[in-house]
Amino acid sequence: MLKGDKVGLRARHEDDIPVLRTELYDDVVNSSRADARPWRPVRPGSEDSRLVVDDDEQGVVPFSVVELEGGTLVGTATLWDIDNHHRSAHIGLGLLPSARGKGYGTDVVGVLCHYGFVVRGLQRLQIETLSDNAAMLRAAERNGFVREGVLRSSAWVLGEFMDEVLMGLLVRDWRRTDPRDPADR
């Protein structure tokens, strides 16, 4: 498990899937804002490509997010579109409604940065988020991400086009304050 100050990122367990499906993906508004694909209902018990882990897929690394105190499942985090040639990837996360507003998002972004830069040896991480997603924008900025642009009217969300903010972080600009980073010792 990768550990932050408040949360850990661990492998997805089979019993995580029903909770994540119910609390994140069956919520039409949340799911429509978080996923570029249109929302659709998924039959209970069926394999859901958004949640089931394919260990052979090298371009995506999904995690379940748990509280360090007690191990309660609080969300999902992903390093996706991993490009080993250009040494870049995108990050994303989704927190259960009960876990929002507790600083977990900032911690998750920090742990994903550690994983991407230290464990995977990437040189660039990127986030695209809706322009009104203040929590994600704050979590990214607190971890050193900078706004690189706005993708105007690029996301179709529940009947309207919305702007997305493009944020990036280079390993050379990353705040190396993580005591888990061997370069900091």
Side-chain angles (χ1 to χ4, degrees), residues 27-39 130 156-158:
D27 176 344
V28 178
V29 173
N30 180 69
S31 186
S32 296
R33 291 178 53 82
D35 197 333
R37 298 171 289 187
W39 182 86
L130 295 175
W156 178 253
V157 180
L158 298 173

Side-chain angles (χ1 to χ4, degrees), residues 10-17 20 25 50-53 62-65 73 75-78:
R10 64 158 169 76
R12 176 86 27 89
H13 296 173
E14 193 65 34
D15 57 346
D16 295 345
I17 293 173
L20 295 172
Y25 299 113
R50 299 167 302 180
L51 297 171
V52 175
V53 176
F63 296 97
S64 286
V65 180
L73 178 69
T76 182
T78 309

Side-chain angles (χ1 to χ4, degrees), residues 135-150:
M136 185 60 170
L137 294 168
R138 228 178 2 262
E141 289 170 346
R142 287 179 178 157
N143 280 284
F145 282 80
V146 296
R147 293 178 189 228
E148 296 179 334
V150 174

Side-chain angles (χ1 to χ4, degrees), residues 8-112:
L9 305 186
R10 64 158 169 76
R12 176 86 27 89
H13 296 173
E14 193 65 34
D15 57 346
D16 295 345
I17 293 173
V19 174
L20 295 172
R21 179 180 287 158
T22 300
E23 295 206 33
L24 288 180
Y25 299 113
D26 284 349
D27 176 344
V28 178
V29 173
N30 180 69
S31 186
S32 296
R33 291 178 53 82
D35 197 333
R37 298 171 289 187
W39 182 86
R40 64 181 182 81
V42 177
R43 181 178 43 82
S46 67
E47 295 226 342
D48 185 339
S49 63
R50 299 167 302 180
L51 297 171
V52 175
V53 176
D54 178 356
D55 288 327
D56 294 327
E57 171 58 54
Q58 297 299 307
V60 177
V61 179
F63 296 97
S64 286
V65 180
V66 296
E67 291 176 320
L68 286 180
E69 297 247 343
T72 302
L73 178 69
V74 295
T76 182
T78 309
L79 195 70
W80 58 279
D81 198 20
I82 300 168
D83 184 328
N84 290 318
H85 178 71
H86 296 291
R87 295 180 43 205
S88 64
H90 299 249
I91 68 172
L93 65 102
L95 295 175
L96 303 181
S98 62
R100 296 175 190 156
K102 298 180 178 182
Y104 293 160
T106 297
D107 205 28
V108 170
V109 172
V111 177
L112 284 171

